[in-house]
Amino acid sequence: MRLILLGPPGAGKGTQAANIVTKYNLPHISTGDIFRANIKQGTELGTRAKAYMDKGELVPDSLVVELVEDRLSKDDTQVGFMLDGFPRTIYQAEALDAVLGNMGTSIDHVINIVVDPTVLVERAVGRRICKNCGATYHVSFNPPAEEGVCDKCSGELYQRSDDNEETVSNRISVYTNETAPLVEYYEKSGKIRTIDGLQDIDKVFSDIEKVLK
Ligand code: AP5
Ligand code: MG
Ligand code: ZN
């Protein structure tokens, strides 16, 4: 199964991706996570990406497309994959279609998580992530049993540096201008499925499961 998760910052892509990859056993390919790992390791790609991410701007297409192309050439994607946060521009979507076309495959479903823009800032600003295992929490909507500590592995929770009000607001505008046009792009191929992301996390996932059945 080859899937794309689409939705604005804070829609719940990462949260649902974690559920999807566990149930369907797919590699989770998050371009945001790949950039953050590169920043942590101090690579050149990380340094270049950080300048854009800190402002809530998109990393240039040329840097992103090559990265994803390389990732999709790995053997583990033969069973399928879950793309989270890619594509984000029409250029990226066309590049992905071309790459998959060359591999003789195509996307099966685009899951579009729709959330009222008014809740997005609160969701992102309250997000906390485990340093050790990457599990995602929210201080009010999905709190861990003990503040600042991961339920799954007891790791320490941290806040992403781009999860402040100003940067999140810019990420939302960038989404509206550059990524939202992908909805129409994928409507043309009839592969897009709209999911109400304002529901509880479990209910959002059960709606996704219905699409993937
Ligand atoms: P990226 O890491 O992809 O961030 P994003 O798209 O801004 O999305 P988020 O990760 O913020 O939100 P999410 O939808 O995953 O929400 P989550 O599940 O965590 O990208 C970061 C940056 O990298 C970009 O700004 C850009 O610079 C760069 N980049 C990445 N990919 C790129 C690309 N392809 N091209 C160019 N640049 C790229 O949930 C959020 C919070 O809400 C959590 O606290 C969660 O617990 C809570 N929550 C989730 N679901 C619910 C629910 N149903 N009810 C209540 N709370 C919920
Ligand atoms: Mg995410
Ligand atoms: Zn953890």
Side-chain angles (χ1 to χ4, degrees), residues 76-94:
D76 65 337
T77 64
Q78 301 236 329
V79 294
F81 51 78
M82 162 88 269
L83 287 170
D84 163 5
F86 179 93
R88 256 175 150 99
T89 60
I90 297 283
Y91 180 90
Q92 291 179 16
E94 287 173 347

Side-chain angles (χ1 to χ4, degrees), residues 13-14 30 33 36 84 127 160:
K13 300 182 295 295
S30 158
D33 286 349
R36 281 183 289 276
D84 163 5
R127 168 170 44 198
R160 257 168 58 176

Side-chain angles (χ1 to χ4, degrees), residues 154-174:
S154 302
E156 188 190 335
L157 304 187
Y158 77 100
Q159 188 172 17
R160 257 168 58 176
S161 61
D162 61 346
D163 277 348
N164 58 76
E165 211 165 322
E166 194 190 338
T167 311
V168 175
S169 301
N170 192 42
R171 282 157 56 199
I172 295 168
S173 323
V174 168

Side-chain angles (χ1 to χ4, degrees), residues 6-47:
L6 196 63
K13 300 182 295 295
T15 302
Q16 297 304 330
N19 290 333
I20 294 167
V21 300
T22 304
K23 171 153 184 190
Y24 299 93
N25 218 346
L26 299 170
H28 177 192
I29 305 176
S30 158
T31 40
D33 286 349
I34 296 171
F35 288 134
R36 281 183 289 276
N38 273 274
I39 292 171
K40 206 170 157 191
Q41 290 156 17
T43 68
E44 195 200 323
L45 176 67
T47 308

Side-chain angles (χ1 to χ4, degrees), residues 76-153:
D76 65 337
T77 64
Q78 301 236 329
V79 294
F81 51 78
M82 162 88 269
L83 287 170
D84 163 5
F86 179 93
R88 256 175 150 99
T89 60
I90 297 283
Y91 180 90
Q92 291 179 16
E94 287 173 347
L96 176 65
D97 282 347
V99 169
L100 295 178
N102 287 337
M103 294 162 86
T105 61
S106 62
I107 291 295
D108 298 309
H109 300 287
V110 179
I111 297 164
N112 183 29
I113 306 183
V114 178
V115 176
D116 191 275
T118 55
V119 309
L120 295 175
V121 173
E122 192 184 4
R123 279 201 188 176
V125 171
R127 168 170 44 198
R128 298 293 182 272
I129 302 160
C130 175
K131 262 186 187 163
N132 182 42
C133 75
T136 299
Y137 298 88
H138 190 282
V139 290
S140 321
F141 306 140
N142 183 25
E146 189 186 336
E147 197 188 317
V149 180
C150 179
D151 290 345
K152 296 187 174 112
C153 75

